Amino acid sequence: MTRTLEVVNPFDLNVIGSVPLKGWDEIDSYLSTATQLHKNRKGWLPAHHRIEILRKTAVLMQDRFENLAFQIANEGGKPLVDARVEVTRAIDGVGLCIKEIAGLAGKQIPMNLTQAGDGRTAFTQREPIGPVVAVSAFNHPLNLIVHQVAPAIATGCPVLVKPADDTPLSCKAFVDILYEAGLPEEWCCFVPCDIPTAEKLVTDPRVAFFSFIGSAKVGWMLKSKLAPGTRCALEHGGAASVIIDSSADIEAMIPSLVKGGFYHSGQVCVSVQRVMAPKGMADDIAQLLADAASKLCVGNAIDEQTDAGPLIRPHEVDRVSNWVAEAKQAGAKILTGGDKLGATTYAPTVLLRPPLDIKVSRQEIFGPVVCVYEHDTIDDSISQANDLPFAFQASIYSNNLDMAMKAIEQLDATAVMVNDHTAFRVDWMPFAGRKQSGYGIGGIGYTMHDMTQEKMAVIKV
């Protein structure tokens, strides 16, 4: 009997759809086909064919813009205003893949630098790495799929994609659009499945490249079990730090921090979590944040007026509630929020001076909670920011160039934003975590590079 995965709206928990789960026999067949597609070099899709498919894909996505946005909001709980931004990014991401195809070029290697190389000409070219398996997360259910699947199509790699259990409908919609745009179905397989089957797929020796977006616990576990030779990229989360210098434009900063901290109810891997303010300014900054956060409309993401939607599952609401309760008991001051608004929603919350050794200060909250701390010097702020096993994006608000450069030089982060929040991203920039926050570099062009491998020809003349 075929099992199905029911999909619910995370706000009211009403069933909005379902997808059949794939068993191992079916997935094994898909993987065998993918392997043969890669081995049959004469059957590789030419670049102009891949470009044509992706161009048609972008057009079809634009035609279905509102339907895709509503689906993101309905299954993922991201407010419509932000879901529309995600669709725009996803369409642009497909366009980026098209542009990057022309960059999949090799180069000439000089051979006559020593006598041993005389009489030879050498050059490199890039080839598709082979079957790709992509395992995705719920929080950007369309754009993350585009980041994992479209580069595989662009580089000529057959791909099997397992969406997050909570948000498979956006993934299926994208795969179906690829088929409609002309991609032969065997080149991209939609494989929702249970955890044991997914692990069996990921660790199969036929997998050439594994792309994972999700929790560090699961990602590092799967990486440890990969077959010899399988390449991978892992994108996890962190506890993003923001440093505020005394020269910062506070009025301009507050809306930015509110967006970075409460966008998608904080369910973003680089969401603003820890704000380090100068001594004597922390109370005022925290209160300004609290005042702005208290005005956010929390509700069903499919409603136009909603600013902050539900958390993805009720147990996440319970977890966030427990973490905040722990912070309050340990001495943190709750300036706004600190309450469940229902089984599926939590109030946007600002905490002032939580202790540094509790969960909200040391682990990724992944919920609508921002913590504000006070420090004597910027060196103290940088020290706290770097004192975690995670390192992803960080930021500093300052109108002092020396302070901004000091933060850029000393923060342990893959990207440091100046006068912008930590969740800023455009899809052509490198996007990656250090230490426990990830492995490899994301971003459309960087992913396409990882999904290809270099081959050199040396010709003796």
Side-chain angles (χ1 to χ4, degrees):
M1 178 183 294
T2 301
R3 293 178 297 155
T4 60
L5 179 65
E6 285 193 336
V7 185
V8 302
N9 175 304
F11 177 79
D12 56 25
L13 302 181
N14 288 332
V15 176
I16 59 172
S18 65
V19 296
L21 290 172
K22 306 289 186 180
W24 174 248
D25 289 345
E26 192 172 4
I27 290 176
D28 180 47
S29 176
Y30 292 157
L31 192 51
S32 293
T33 299
T35 302
Q36 291 306 312
L37 287 172
H38 181 64
K39 286 182 177 180
N40 179 22
R41 291 172 173 258
K42 292 183 178 180
W44 286 0
L45 299 177
H48 65 84
H49 190 188
R50 287 177 264 140
I51 290 170
E52 180 183 5
I53 290 166
L54 292 171
R55 281 178 176 162
K56 289 180 179 178
T57 296
V59 171
L60 290 169
M61 293 173 74
Q62 187 64 53
D63 290 343
R64 296 165 198 180
F65 188 99
E66 283 298 325
N67 288 337
L68 291 171
F70 182 84
Q71 191 160 258
I72 290 168
N74 203 20
E75 70 172 344
K78 178 180 289 185
L80 271 172
V81 62
D82 297 315
R84 292 186 180 109
V85 173
E86 178 172 342
V87 178
T88 298
R89 285 180 60 189
I91 295 169
D92 289 343
V94 173
L96 279 171
C97 287
I98 296 169
K99 294 177 182 178
E100 290 289 341
I101 288 175
L104 295 175
K107 60 184 179 180
Q108 182 181 353
I109 307 297
M111 298 302 292
N112 62 351
L113 301 179
T114 68
Q115 186 176 354
D118 276 348
R120 291 167 177 83
T121 297
F123 61 89
T124 65
Q125 55 189 349
R126 301 203 71 82
E127 297 181 337
I129 195 170
V132 170
V133 168
V135 175
S136 203
F138 77 86
N139 53 339
H140 308 289
L142 179 63
N143 198 41
L144 291 183
I145 296 298
V146 166
H147 271 254
Q148 294 174 286
V149 173
I153 304 305
T155 55
C157 293
V159 56
L160 288 77
V161 54
K162 181 205 173 298
D165 289 349
D166 299 293
T167 55
L169 301 180
S170 295
C171 177
K172 187 176 188 305
F174 181 68
V175 173
D176 287 345
I177 286 172
L178 287 171
Y179 297 159
E180 190 175 342
L183 181 71
E185 292 189 11
E186 62 269 21
W187 282 88
C188 181
C189 296
F190 173 69
V191 291
C193 56
D194 60 26
I195 292 174
T197 304
E199 184 174 334
K200 193 171 184 178
L201 167 63
V202 168
T203 57
D204 191 285
R206 291 169 289 183
V207 177
F209 189 83
F210 170 49
S211 171
F212 177 84
I213 302 174
S215 76
K217 180 180 179 181
V218 175
W220 292 116
M221 179 275 291
L222 290 173
K223 181 179 183 295
S224 73
K225 296 184 177 183
L226 293 180
T230 300
R231 273 44 176 176
C232 73
L234 312 175
E235 183 185 308
H236 303 144
S241 298
V242 174
I243 293 174
I244 299 172
D245 175 46
S246 58
S247 68
D249 183 340
I250 304 301
E251 184 178 352
M253 176 189 73
I254 297 301
S256 175
L257 286 180
V258 170
K259 187 64 177 179
F262 299 108
Y263 165 70
H264 201 2
S265 293
Q267 297 171 113
V268 180
C269 60
V270 285
S271 178
V272 170
Q273 178 168 330
R274 303 184 301 156
V275 177
M276 289 80 168
K279 192 169 184 178
M281 296 176 64
D283 291 76
D284 290 341
I285 288 170
Q287 191 60 56
L288 288 169
L289 280 172
D291 291 344
S294 68
K295 297 174 184 176
L296 297 174
C297 177
V298 181
N300 195 331
I302 64 174
D303 297 335
E304 290 284 357
Q305 70 271 19
T306 296
D307 298 308
L311 297 190
I312 192 63
R313 292 180 179 178
H315 72 77
E316 291 299 314
V317 178
D318 295 336
R319 178 188 59 78
V320 171
S321 180
N322 291 336
W323 286 25
V324 172
E326 177 193 51
K328 181 180 180 181
Q329 186 175 7
K333 185 177 181 181
I334 300 176
L335 299 185
T336 191
D339 299 304
K340 294 183 186 179
L341 299 179
T344 61
T345 52
Y346 195 83
T349 298
V350 175
L351 301 178
L352 179 60
R353 297 189 185 89
L356 301 184
D357 59 351
I358 60 174
K359 291 186 180 70
V360 297
S361 296
R362 299 204 60 81
Q363 299 181 35
E364 183 179 27
I365 295 172
F366 221 64
V369 180
V370 173
C371 303
V372 180
Y373 308 85
E374 183 176 59
H375 289 296
D376 290 326
T377 68
I378 194 172
D379 291 319
D380 294 333
S381 296
I382 291 172
S383 178
Q384 182 185 340
N386 291 344
D387 187 31
L388 288 180
F390 316 104
F392 214 138
Q393 299 195 159
S395 76
I396 180 170
Y397 288 83
S398 177
N399 285 322
N400 182 317
L401 181 59
D402 288 340
M403 287 297 186
M405 290 305 301
K406 183 172 186 174
I408 291 169
E409 292 169 0
Q410 296 187 14
L411 280 170
D412 188 4
T414 50
V416 178
M417 312 303 164
V418 178
N419 294 326
D420 209 344
H421 60 70
T422 57
F424 172 79
R425 182 186 184 185
V426 291
D427 295 313
W428 56 88
M429 71 187 234
F431 188 74
R434 292 181 178 179
K435 298 190 285 190
Q436 293 183 24
S437 288
Y439 181 85
I441 301 175
I444 294 290
Y446 299 89
T447 298
M448 288 176 62
H449 184 273
D450 282 351
M451 289 180 178
T452 60
Q453 51 193 355
E454 199 165 59
K455 175 185 283 183
M456 186 169 73
V458 181
I459 303 169
K460 188 175 182 180
V461 294

